Amino acid sequence: MTPQLTCIECEAQFAVTEILYNCTKCDGLLEARYGASGKSAADLKALWRNRRTSNAPLDNSGVWRYREMIPFLDDEAHAVTLREGNTPLLPARRAAEYGGLDRLEFKHQGFNPTGSFKDNGMTCGVAQAVRLGRPRVACVSTGNTSASMAAYASAAGIEPLIFIPNGNIAYGKLAQALEYGARTFQVDANFDQILALVRVLAEKIGIYLLNSINPFRIEGQKTIVIEMLDQRDWVAPDWIVLPGGNLGNTSAFGKALRELHALGFIEKMPRVAVVQAEGSAPFYDFIREGGEFRPIGHPETLATAIKIGDPVSWPKALRVIEDTRGVVEKVTEQEIADAKAVIGLCGIGCEPASAATLAGIKKLRAAGVMRADEDVVAVLTGHVLKDPDYIYKYHTGQLETPTGVKIAANFGNKPQVVPNDADTIARLIG
Ligand code: F0G
């Protein structure tokens, strides 16, 4: 079967070369579907392992190495790679103890070329833009998507246009977008409002949209799970924990797990735990209360990456929760800040949204949902240097919630000002 875009609601099918973000019949979300590759799981495992010894650019990529799982291109020459993926799986004893687990591993997506998991998806989204011959691409972003899109579009020679909430993204991310040459528009509106605006603009002036509603980005993000299982010699963990914002990554993880399970790569389906920030937790409310999905009009959190009130991918994410016996948790600003500092103390570090994972694990353990002896992988989505302002404020006791409540520096590490005098400093060190 040639690759198709298929509506997840009504199963309507469209060619992968059509520029569509929703089903034209029922407005449902679209996903890429393929026929069988003709190779067994055992053969593919061996092939992928073998590619790690190759110097070919696509084999070096932790996304395109697994290209049999994402075969939407008709010509591999369209792929644009910055050698994304290849992110480590790091055991973290102190974080495990903090969370109440015997052991815990972090799959750290901050090791990507632009410092977040968005690169896994963007290499695919931009490849599709190249294939379609689109001269411009655009996204609305809380920061990481725009940094990533700017890099990949510029690498491909395509013009990147980015739209961000004015004053509400971390400087590390804005700086990246500027450096990678994106035309940058700061809009006085929140993420959800800007997404609606950009969809109108895309239609009006024919720009290719690279938000996570783009099904090809989701294909690339599947490889986070594929690579993680490859690194674990295909032993599936009991749980995969990740932060939830627009819920694109949750959708990608669920699709990867469904496909790998159906193809016989794994026997056990890991449970997926999605963690949201308390002030931006519409998916948590929806899973907890049922009924209609109700967006949040004014999402709030210092973890600006996940400050999203109307996540477009919730219908896909709902299926992931159902298919994997998954759970959704929410955590406070204080819980995120402390968990983040503990991840730092492991010598690992991450940006605030990523730390929601460890904070969520601690809560799920306390509630008895997760057992101490379970095998847990938490996905750290962004690099520690994405948001240095947050870090400095936390460690110096100056961090406040959006409503002005002080965050306690429970793991604070304040720099000391000292005189230029060896005796005094020696005394201080002790
Ligand atoms: N963690 C980080 C560091 C992120 O940047 C994002 C999303 C998420 C988690 C949540 O992932 O949206 O797939 O549920 N950032 C987007 C952006 C929205 O524009 O960079 P999600």
Side-chain angles (χ1 to χ4, degrees), residues 117-118 140-145 173 191 221 243-249 305-306 308 351 353-354 381-382:
F117 73 97
K118 303 291 182 179
V140 49
S141 177
T142 56
N144 282 321
T145 298
K173 304 174 187 182
F191 177 92
Q221 285 172 214
N246 221 8
L247 302 173
N249 218 20
I306 50 174
I308 294 176
E351 72 161 280
S354 311
T381 44

Side-chain angles (χ1 to χ4, degrees), residues 24-306:
T24 53
K25 303 206 165 88
C26 76
D27 207 37
L29 296 171
L30 301 174
E31 68 177 21
R33 292 202 192 149
Y34 318 99
S37 76
K39 294 195 176 84
S40 71
D43 286 350
L44 285 173
K45 286 178 187 178
L47 175 68
W48 297 339
R49 192 55 68 92
N50 220 14
R51 283 184 184 151
R52 290 200 204 175
T53 61
S54 154
N55 282 327
L58 293 194
D59 294 344
N60 276 183
S61 160
V63 173
W64 299 105
R65 181 180 305 134
Y66 304 102
R67 50 195 175 267
E68 287 76 11
M69 294 296 289
I70 52 169
F72 62 88
L73 289 179
D74 53 356
D75 182 354
E76 282 175 8
H78 292 138
V80 183
T81 177
L82 295 170
R83 313 302 188 268
E84 51 290 323
N86 298 308
T87 62
L89 201 51
L90 304 168
R93 197 180 43 79
R94 192 156 179 177
E97 270 168 29
Y98 180 79
L101 293 171
D102 297 342
R103 64 199 171 99
L104 172 63
E105 282 180 316
F106 288 120
K107 172 77 173 152
H108 203 327
Q109 293 304 109
F111 283 65
N112 260 300
T114 78
S116 86
F117 73 97
K118 303 291 182 179
D119 294 344
N120 284 65
M122 205 52 79
T123 184
C124 289
V126 169
Q128 179 70 2
V130 171
R131 172 220 209 138
L132 297 171
R134 308 308 300 169
R136 285 173 174 166
V137 289
C139 69
V140 49
S141 177
T142 56
N144 282 321
T145 298
S146 52
S148 181
M149 193 194 78
Y152 281 85
S154 288
I158 292 177
E159 185 179 22
L161 306 176
I162 69 168
F163 297 82
I164 50 178
N166 195 8
N168 259 310
I169 80 166
Y171 260 115
K173 304 174 187 182
L174 176 57
Q176 284 180 294
L178 301 179
E179 188 79 356
Y180 297 137
R183 283 182 72 181
T184 303
F185 302 95
Q186 294 179 281
V187 188
D188 281 321
N190 69 27
F191 177 92
D192 308 299
Q193 295 161 330
I194 306 173
L195 181 56
L197 169 85
V198 172
R199 291 189 73 163
V200 173
L201 260 178
E203 190 84 7
K204 238 187 173 68
I205 55 173
I207 319 169
Y208 190 56
L209 258 191
L210 281 174
N211 273 97
S212 61
I213 194 155
N214 182 306
F216 304 101
R217 279 198 40 214
I218 299 293
E219 290 306 288
Q221 285 172 214
K222 281 183 346 195
T223 62
I224 299 168
V225 166
I226 302 172
E227 183 181 74
M228 182 258 283
L229 289 164
D230 187 1
Q231 288 165 319
R232 292 171 49 99
D233 297 322
W234 303 98
V235 177
D238 296 312
W239 290 93
I240 301 175
V241 187
L242 80 165
N246 221 8
L247 302 173
N249 218 20
T250 304
S251 309
F253 283 21
K255 188 167 190 279
L257 291 171
R258 263 196 307 274
E259 292 174 355
L260 291 170
H261 193 254
L263 293 169
F265 282 87
I266 48 171
E267 279 163 24
K268 178 178 81 179
M269 192 65 132
R271 299 179 71 181
V272 172
V274 180
V275 189
Q276 297 206 288
E278 197 174 59
S280 302
F283 192 52
Y284 171 88
D285 293 341
F286 172 62
I287 297 293
R288 180 66 42 129
E289 292 158 20
E292 291 278 296
F293 186 87
R294 278 191 305 279
I296 291 178
H298 298 284
E300 283 299 353
T301 171
L302 296 174
T304 49
I306 50 174

